[in-house]
Amino acid sequence: MSGGGLLVAGTTSDAGKSVVTAGICRWLVRQGVKVAPFKGQNMSLNSFVTREGAEIGRAQAMQAQACRVEPTALMNPVLLKPGSDRSSQVVLMGRPVGELSATEYVGGRREALLGTVLECLAELRATYDAVICEGAGSPAEINLRRTDLVNMGIARAARLPVMVVGDIDRGGVFASFFGTTALLSPADQELIAGYLVNKFRGDVSLLEPGLEMLRGLTGRATLGVLPFRHGLGIDEEDGLRVSAHGAVRESVVAPPHGEDVLRVAVCAVPLMSNFTDVDALAAEPGVVVRFVDRPEELADADLVVVPGTRGTVRALAWLRERGLADALARRAAEGRPVLGICGGYQLLGERIEDEVESRAGTVAGLGLLPVRVRFAAEKTLARPVGVALGEAVEGYEIHHGVAEVFGGEAFAVDAAGGALDGCRVGAVQGTHWHGALESDAFRRAFLTEVARAAGRRFVPAPGTSFGALREEQLDLLGDLIEEHADTDALLRLIEEGAPAGLPFIPPGAP
């Protein structure tokens, strides 16, 4: 195989494109195929920093792990980070290049980026045996087709076959498959090579008559029916599946290793970024993680996490409006644990000077840590390592805020004990390091300290490895493809492209 490719599109956002792409990648690499993921344009507040210091979507970093390769900026050349309903920061090849409104981006900049996207895809295809591309939203978003650089725009330009994924758990999957195809132009439809049903519950034989009728109507086969599985929502693009009153996505809490469970409340701040930081906590047996937005929901929490946010000043105002700021202050006074991560760390400080993100000027913080934050025009992107609570810890930094710490203890230090990052006063601590809780020994030390402060007889399970659990999830995704998809047909598409002579389904694009 040389330079093969496939575009995994979806009937809607959140149809399962990210996990299906990861599953195909893991299945291919287990067959000895050198494979890479790709998403031309990603809109997400969940991002990651590569070894070379480039910011990309976390979904593509997860898919690179499925491929057993290091993620690079080539795999996600354009990342949009929403700052409001109408504007986003544009990250190009891992570096921020400006803040644009949706109208400005679609009206001019987006079309100009298509060349960069196609160059990155071509470089990957020249390096790898196969590149599995992920689309965005639906390929039938006819209002955006002219400037598309993530769905049919790159499929047409790079002659990629397209498989459309539909979430049957939502209902209407046959209409979605048919309608998605029928709204595309004849040239686009030539590349729609088949469908894949995601999240099916029940007896597949009951679905088969519908699949046969769909084939008769469209001339295209369904390439697999994936059964519903809990716990597969790993490193998603956004928080669509995070309920403000629900457990962390689909996590299932294992029984505690000790006598008590540990309850973690995560403040569901506006423009929440990298909510995946708490996945490592949810993976611990006996740790219950919930997203909350009311002060009374903090009452029985043993730990409160204030997560990252793309709008630190906006999140600060939200905490005050909701009464959560007062609840956090009471916790601090009572010596009950609070952890702030990135933007959550910044707002725990005494003041914020922001002429970059919100342009709000000087704003008073919550005053729980002796920290002053100034927003710099240059974004910090780093992959730091250090020591925290006597254990090795590593993470990644993505922030404009620069913290001046004038008291307390450091969150992380270097081998000689010099301060690296963050601040800690009593049971309140903050850090700019995303992903720190994925360091197993540090996480166990941290949770032991939280349990002690909370008076809980909770004991971290000694053998929990977050990295191993992530590998198990990726292998499960690979198993789903291997066991429930037509892998021979997938290989033919990747190697040979869409078959010739696929019928046109009217009416086509308007």
Side-chain angles (χ1 to χ4, degrees):
M1 185 185 296
S2 177
L6 174 72
L7 175 68
V8 179
T11 57
T12 62
S13 295
D14 202 36
K17 296 183 292 292
S18 293
V19 294
V20 168
T21 299
I24 295 172
C25 287
R26 177 49 62 99
W27 163 68
L28 282 171
V29 81
R30 293 194 310 208
Q31 310 308 306
V33 177
K34 186 181 178 186
V35 58
F38 180 78
K39 184 160 186 171
Q41 173 196 287
N42 197 347
M43 177 172 281
S44 177
L45 287 172
N46 279 341
S47 59
F48 182 76
V49 178
T50 67
R51 293 286 179 197
E52 69 267 28
E55 184 180 7
I56 66 171
R58 270 206 66 115
Q60 279 61 66
M62 175 268 291
Q63 291 160 359
Q65 185 177 348
C67 296
R68 298 181 179 143
V69 298
E70 274 291 324
T72 72
L74 291 173
M75 297 171 183
N76 180 205
V78 181
L79 173 64
L80 305 179
K81 303 194 73 174
S84 70
D85 291 339
R86 294 173 178 253
S87 68
S88 295
Q89 183 182 69
V90 181
V91 179
L92 178 62
M93 295 303 295
R95 297 286 172 182
V97 294
E99 195 93 12
L100 293 178
S101 70
T103 302
E104 290 170 331
Y105 182 65
V106 173
R109 189 62 181 270
R110 180 173 180 163
E111 196 166 10
L113 293 175
L114 180 59
T116 300
V117 169
L118 291 174
E119 286 170 9
C120 291
L121 176 57
E123 186 170 342
L124 288 174
R125 294 183 79 179
T127 306
Y128 290 87
D129 298 332
V131 179
I132 307 304
C133 307
E134 179 188 342
S138 163
E141 290 169 348
I142 53 180
N143 55 316
L144 302 176
R145 176 62 185 89
R146 182 181 61 82
T147 56
D148 173 60
L149 48 79
V150 67
N151 289 310
M152 301 313 298
I154 66 160
R156 281 268 294 278
R159 301 309 298 171
L160 292 171
V162 179
M163 180 178 70
V164 182
V165 178
D167 180 355
I168 198 170
D169 202 44
R170 295 181 171 193
V173 74
F174 294 117
S176 298
F177 284 144
F178 183 88
T180 297
T181 308
L183 276 177
L184 300 177
S185 69
D188 284 352
Q189 285 193 29
E190 288 177 3
L191 297 172
I192 301 295
Y195 311 112
L196 185 135
V197 176
N198 192 26
K199 296 186 185 177
F200 179 72
R201 306 173 192 249
D203 185 347
V204 176
S205 67
L206 299 177
L207 190 65
E208 287 171 353
L211 301 179
E212 282 303 311
M213 285 187 275
L214 180 67
R215 182 166 193 157
L217 288 165
T218 66
R220 292 156 175 88
T222 297
L223 303 175
V225 178
L226 305 188
F228 184 93
R229 291 285 188 271
H230 282 286
L232 297 182
I234 54 177
D235 289 13
E236 296 163 298
E237 291 179 359
D238 50 44
L240 287 174
R241 291 167 61 202
V242 178
S243 165
H245 302 287
V248 55
R249 297 204 294 284
E250 296 173 349
S251 63
V252 178
V253 179
H257 183 71
E259 296 180 49
D260 286 348
V261 299
L262 209 62
R263 296 172 175 83
V264 179
V266 184
C267 296
V269 295
L271 297 174
M272 181 166 48
S273 61
N274 285 60
F275 59 82
T276 48
D277 282 330
V278 298
D279 282 1
L281 295 178
E284 282 283 348
V287 176
V288 182
V289 179
R290 296 182 65 82
F291 289 85
V292 304
D293 62 359
R294 297 194 298 263
E296 57 269 25
E297 293 175 301
L298 304 190
D300 67 346
D302 303 308
L303 167 68
V304 174
V305 177
V306 187
T309 171
R310 174 83 163 88
T312 304
V313 170
R314 177 176 167 183
L316 189 55
W318 181 87
L319 289 170
R320 289 184 167 125
E321 291 164 2
R322 295 266 176 165
L324 287 160
D326 290 339
L328 289 169
R330 287 193 296 271
R331 286 187 68 89
E334 294 165 0
R336 302 176 68 197
V338 176
L339 172 65
I341 302 174
C342 200
Y345 163 44
Q346 295 167 4
L347 57 80
L348 293 177
E350 294 191 354
R351 77 177 186 215
I352 297 169
E353 297 175 25
D354 182 11
E355 299 294 347
V356 175
E357 191 175 78
S358 68
R359 297 181 174 85
T362 301
V363 178
L366 297 185
L368 304 185
L369 290 174
V371 175
R372 293 171 186 156
V373 175
R374 176 184 54 82
F375 274 65
E378 186 76 15
K379 180 185 278 191
T380 296
L381 297 170
R383 289 281 293 272
V385 296
V387 176
L389 298 180
E391 304 290 351
V393 64
E394 60 182 282
Y396 55 100
E397 295 185 58
I398 307 169
H399 55 92
H400 284 279
V402 178
E404 177 190 0
V405 181
F406 52 95
E409 303 173 10
F411 172 85
V413 298
D414 60 24
L420 285 177
D421 174 75
C423 182
R424 170 182 175 147
V425 174
V428 180
Q429 53 191 305
T431 176
H432 273 129
W433 292 13
H434 294 290
L437 292 166
E438 295 178 19
S439 298
D440 297 326
F442 163 70
R443 183 180 64 254
R444 284 192 278 272
F446 175 72
L447 289 176
T448 298
E449 188 176 76
V450 167
R452 187 182 303 118
R456 296 282 185 191
R457 291 171 296 181
F458 170 85
V459 179
T464 303
S465 166
F466 184 74
L469 290 171
R470 174 55 50 88
E471 280 294 305
E472 288 177 14
Q473 286 182 308
L474 292 172
D475 277 331
L476 178 56
L477 293 178
D479 292 343
L480 285 175
I481 297 299
E482 186 171 347
E483 296 167 11
H484 300 282
D486 185 342
T487 53
D488 289 339
L490 281 176
L491 271 179
R492 282 195 300 274
L493 288 179
I494 293 167
E495 292 176 337
E496 302 170 12
L502 292 170
F504 170 70
I505 310 302

